[in-house]
Amino acid sequence: MAYTLEYFQKSADFLKERAGFVPEIAVVLGSCLGPFAQALENPVSVDYADIPHFLLSTVESHAGKLIFGSAGGKKVVCMSGRFHSYEGYRFEQLVIPIRVLKLLGVRAAVLTNAAGAVNPAYRPGDVMVIADHIKLNGDSPLRGPNVDAFGPRFFDTSRMYTPELRRLALQCARDSALRVHEGVYMFFPGPQFETPAEIRAARLLGADAVGMSTVTEALTAAHCGLPLLALSVMTNMAAGVLDRPLSGSEVDETASRVAGDFSDYLKKVLSLI
């Protein structure tokens, strides 16, 4: 498949007709964080399956819809459900959502995810503003022919997680019911949880949290010069931090428990971007 500008433009043109307005901010929602999308004002919902050249979400806790609406006084487009390499997608395919959102006219992106806490000072229910990430496995989503219309072949990632937006998110945390930290996210491809030995290695490398998403989207945003904020909800302590097995149900339960407070926090952040 040739991922040309025209390939992504077809998706964007379809969505422009359905939305009726140009969104200012794109929000990508992680596992069980969908309640934020349900609170959007004047929503217009589009199933991923109806969007030309788009991908399909296969994770049960992801709704698989693109929702246009308002939140925090901003016009937003919200991905209720994202895509992962463990679903069988090639890394090159994972550029599709962010590039389409860029062509829709968004001026910033906010990524959210459910993550495992590596830092022992964190606890389930906390939020981490991602300051940087570690990715040592898997291809780059920018592998293959470069599309110059989006960005250069070789691009800088030192400010990928926009410092100004990170500071804004930390300021908003002062009045939040959530405990909010700033730290480093490490990508693992999944779908299995990481081993205790991998978590010990992650801690030695400087990671504060681990997860199976977000990094491909962040790299795509950096390539096309899109300001970016990324927020991780700590849904569990990572493998080996506590002497008990991990389960997907624990992730879902914690994310559901904090979804209301997280939605309020996210809405406040959006209002100030």
Side-chain angles (χ1 to χ4, degrees), residues 199-242:
I199 295 304
R200 291 195 297 272
R203 185 179 295 118
L204 287 172
L205 289 171
D208 296 289
V210 295
M212 307 171 192
S213 68
T214 302
V215 166
T216 53
E217 298 150 345
L219 288 168
T220 306
H223 179 248
C224 65
L226 197 61
L228 176 70
L229 174 68
L231 305 170
S232 294
V233 176
M234 302 298 110
T235 51
N236 58 281
M237 302 306 292
V241 177
L242 302 177

Side-chain angles (χ1 to χ4, degrees), residues 170-194:
L170 292 171
Q171 289 169 5
C172 290
R174 294 170 185 169
D175 299 322
S176 172
L178 300 166
R179 290 204 331 155
V180 180
H181 314 272
E182 187 175 37
V184 175
Y185 178 91
M186 186 166 183
F187 172 81
F188 283 86
Q192 73 283 349
F193 290 113
E194 303 75 25

Side-chain angles (χ1 to χ4, degrees), residues 120-137:
Y122 293 4
R123 62 192 185 208
D126 288 1
V127 172
M128 184 183 80
V129 176
I130 299 180
D132 204 347
H133 77 239
I134 301 169
K135 177 184 177 296
L136 301 179
N137 47 29

Side-chain angles (χ1 to χ4, degrees), residues 17 22 39 47 53 63 72 83 104 110 116 131 141 147 149 160 171 179-180 193 201 209 212 236 258-259:
E17 292 182 2
V22 177
D47 288 345
H53 297 166
F83 313 110
L104 284 177
V110 179
V147 182
M160 176 163 42
Q171 289 169 5
R179 290 204 331 155
V180 180
F193 290 113
M212 307 171 192
N236 58 281
V258 302

Side-chain angles (χ1 to χ4, degrees), residues 235-263:
T235 51
N236 58 281
M237 302 306 292
V241 177
L242 302 177
D243 186 19
R244 66 187 188 201
L246 303 183
S247 71
S249 60
E250 179 185 7
V251 172
D252 294 347
E253 288 168 7
T254 304
S256 297
R257 174 172 58 83
V258 302
D261 288 336
F262 183 77
S263 294

